[in-house]
Amino acid sequence: MSDHKPLSAKAKARAGFLPADAAREAEAAQVPGLSVRIAAANVIADVAQGGHRLDERFSPQAVPFRLAGMEPRDAALARSIAYVGVRRLGAIRHALAVLLEKGLPKQAARLEWPLVAAAAQILYLDVPDHAAVDLAVRTVRLEPKTAPFGGLVNGVLRNLIRRRDEFASGDPLTLDTPAWLAQRWIKTYGEAPARAIAAIHMQEPPLDLTVKSDAEGWARRLDGIVLPTGSVRLRSRTPIVELEGFADGEWWVQDAAAALPARLLAVEPDERVLDMCAAPGGKTAQLALARAQVTALDRSAERLKLLAANLQRAHLHADIAVGDAASYSTARPFDAILVDAPCAATGTIRRHPDVPWIKKPGDLDSLVALQSRILERASLLLRPEGRLVYCTCSLEPEEGEAQIASFLRRHPEMKRAPIDPTTEDIPAEFVTPDGDLRTLPSYWPNEDKRLAGLDGFFAARLVLRG
């Protein structure tokens, strides 16, 4: 149960909460599963219409908090519906466009979100069809503007059930990937790799752990496998806090690709290391585990609180600094710097399916400019022969390969330190001809799709000439 203060009925109405008054809210509470569907529909609307991040909408600090007062089982179902609804939003919208020959009623635009939530259940989740249809109809009848269209919703969803096979197998690249992203990936990686990337994005992401030691032992204890890079990938879906070793800080959750940049820095004990844009702290923990003197820098004091809590659980230490990476200064230079720069995050769509729907092509220009400023500042904070690893969780070359090429042209005092896959335990397919790291979400295929793939990452290792 959250300690978040419940909103008044009027406040919920202003925020677009469905239903909009106390009487309808009370009515919804009497029907099992109805509040779950209402919450899921509202979260999908928050993302697709409001531009909010999915993970933020499920935080108890969200306003309004859609899951307030829900039992854990109901909250989990609402989360599943919302995530699938956003992940397959393109395919679902296509199906609804075909079935709604005249489109959505103009006076009831919010009808779309209960329909999307119901379609997600019918096409992609193990939910009884009758429950998905009945609760969607009940949802729309609770709000005056949508109430007259209960029959329309019933008919559309029953037609969807009859044509399930037709609509459930849509092409992820053309339906579930915005055209501007699909065209970029085809241009950068080729059509077949772009299709493989889009396809893996439709799968539930794996859960990877970075362990302090004994990866094989933890894989046995936690029902996982050891990946070629040393991360442990779990088969089970047990809540993280219930797993052995969590409370003792023996491991932390970190995608296998996200664990690589800190390794590329190859820090030594007692080296002075700066982790720029450090929160939530997985890379900081890796650097601290190597017994470096780590300064964790981030502009968000709230996110740094999470970093501090994660370090405390892992019994690791870092100096924490609140500040802007693009203007940070220090009296003493660092031996090594990790720049995990803000980016479009298109390499994490599998984990964050809201990214394609809240990012826009114009976002890239401002992000690339910010990354350039951070790189400039980082280069001024290095000692001679100091190392710098720049990384982004983006598939866009402007934020990776092109960014580094431009930086090196401007800074002849910096040189690339290429990755050697034969000596650094980095799979050769991850290393570019220039010696940089580039992972694609479609790498590491597996018959069990939950065990396949990893985040898309770019990383380059640079050295300041002596």
Side-chain angles (χ1 to χ4, degrees):
M1 183 77 70
S2 168
D3 59 0
H4 183 83
K5 183 179 179 181
L7 292 173
S8 67
K10 287 185 178 179
K12 290 178 178 179
R14 286 196 299 271
F17 191 85
L18 202 170
D21 66 23
R24 290 194 292 275
E25 191 174 343
E27 182 180 348
Q30 300 303 312
V31 181
L34 183 53
S35 60
V36 171
R37 272 65 178 189
I38 291 170
N42 280 320
V43 168
I44 294 169
D46 290 341
V47 173
Q49 194 173 50
H52 294 281
R53 289 175 50 185
L54 254 177
D55 55 356
E56 290 179 350
R57 301 316 296 157
F58 288 106
S59 166
Q61 283 71 47
V63 179
F65 180 42
R66 304 300 193 185
L67 308 185
M70 278 193 191
E71 295 296 325
R73 182 177 177 181
D74 287 342
L77 178 56
R79 186 182 181 92
S80 293
I81 295 171
Y83 264 80
V84 172
V86 173
R87 191 183 302 280
R88 304 309 306 253
L89 184 59
I92 290 171
R93 278 178 159 167
H94 168 72
L96 294 178
V98 172
L99 297 173
L100 284 163
E101 295 179 0
K102 297 181 180 180
L104 288 167
K106 292 182 179 179
Q107 66 271 42
R110 281 189 60 81
L111 202 65
E112 179 176 11
W113 312 119
L115 279 169
V116 170
Q121 297 165 71
I122 291 167
L123 295 177
Y124 305 112
L125 289 173
D126 186 19
V127 174
D129 290 341
H130 67 85
V133 175
D134 176 65
L135 293 171
V137 171
R138 288 176 181 270
T139 297
V140 302
R141 285 180 173 163
L142 284 172
E143 185 176 349
K145 287 187 177 180
T146 58
F149 302 102
L152 174 66
V153 168
N154 181 70
V156 166
L157 294 178
R158 292 193 180 281
N159 282 337
L160 181 65
I161 292 168
R162 284 191 285 270
R163 299 173 66 176
R164 187 190 339 252
D165 292 343
E166 172 187 347
F167 292 121
S169 57
D171 176 19
L173 186 64
T174 57
L175 293 179
D176 293 300
T177 308
W180 69 274
L181 266 183
Q183 291 164 6
R184 282 182 143 274
W185 297 345
I186 291 171
K187 179 180 178 180
T188 302
Y189 302 108
E191 183 166 352
R195 290 192 176 281
I197 291 169
I200 199 72
H201 285 166
M202 298 303 102
Q203 304 299 324
E204 183 181 359
L207 182 64
D208 296 343
L209 309 179
T210 296
V211 299
K212 286 183 173 181
S213 62
D214 189 19
E216 292 287 352
W218 282 110
R220 287 193 300 271
R221 286 193 284 274
L222 298 176
D223 186 25
I225 59 173
V226 179
L227 298 173
T229 55
S231 294
V232 173
R233 177 162 293 176
L234 303 190
R235 295 187 179 91
S236 64
R237 284 291 182 265
T238 305
I240 293 167
V241 296
E242 297 177 11
L243 291 172
E244 180 185 354
F246 173 82
D248 296 328
E250 292 296 327
W251 48 261
W252 51 90
V253 176
Q254 186 177 33
D255 184 85
L260 297 178
R263 283 180 45 191
L264 295 179
L265 209 52
V267 299
E268 298 288 339
D270 297 322
E271 281 193 311
R272 296 188 72 248
V273 181
L274 175 63
D275 185 3
M276 303 178 97
C277 314
K283 299 177 183 67
T284 304
Q286 290 178 276
L287 299 171
L289 184 64
R291 292 184 290 148
Q293 299 177 28
V294 184
T295 297
L297 173 70
D298 201 279
R299 65 185 305 173
S300 170
E302 285 300 313
R303 283 169 56 81
L304 283 172
K305 290 179 183 177
L306 175 61
L307 179 147
N310 288 335
L311 289 179
Q312 183 178 24
R313 180 177 62 83
H315 309 291
L316 297 170
H317 172 76
D319 294 324
I320 294 175
V322 180
D324 186 347
S327 59
Y328 181 75
S329 62
T330 181
R332 291 178 57 199
F334 289 93
D335 299 303
I337 298 176
L338 177 61
V339 178
D340 186 2
C343 67
T346 51
T348 67
I349 289 174
R350 185 178 179 187
R351 203 169 300 284
H352 301 288
D354 51 287
V355 166
W357 309 110
I358 64 177
K359 300 289 185 181
K360 301 293 184 291
D363 295 341
L364 274 178
D365 290 342
S366 59
L367 285 167
V368 168
L370 175 59
Q371 293 154 9
S372 180
R373 292 197 301 274
I374 293 174
L375 263 173
E376 294 286 341
R377 174 56 55 174
S379 68
L380 298 175
L381 301 174
L382 272 180
R383 66 161 174 80
E385 298 298 332
R387 292 105 58 210
L388 187 157
V389 167
Y390 166 87
C391 66
T392 62
C393 56
S394 172
L395 298 176
E396 315 318 309
E398 294 93 330
E399 301 186 285
E401 293 87 344
Q403 181 70 264
I404 289 299
S406 175
F407 177 76
L408 289 175
R409 284 195 298 270
R410 299 194 307 271
H411 291 275
E413 76 278 11
M414 300 291 295
K415 63 180 180 179
R416 181 183 269 111
I419 299 166
D420 183 349
T422 63
T423 61
E424 299 188 62
D425 293 327
I426 303 291
E429 65 177 331
F430 292 6
V431 182
T432 73
D434 286 328
D436 299 330
L437 175 81
R438 167 59 76 187
T439 63
L440 298 183
S442 52
Y443 286 169
W444 281 344
N446 193 299
E447 290 184 2
D448 184 345
K449 292 179 180 179
R450 292 190 311 169
L451 299 178
L454 73 171
D455 284 352
F457 251 82
F458 171 85
R461 183 172 56 202
L462 310 177
V463 174
L464 177 61
R465 300 177 192 270

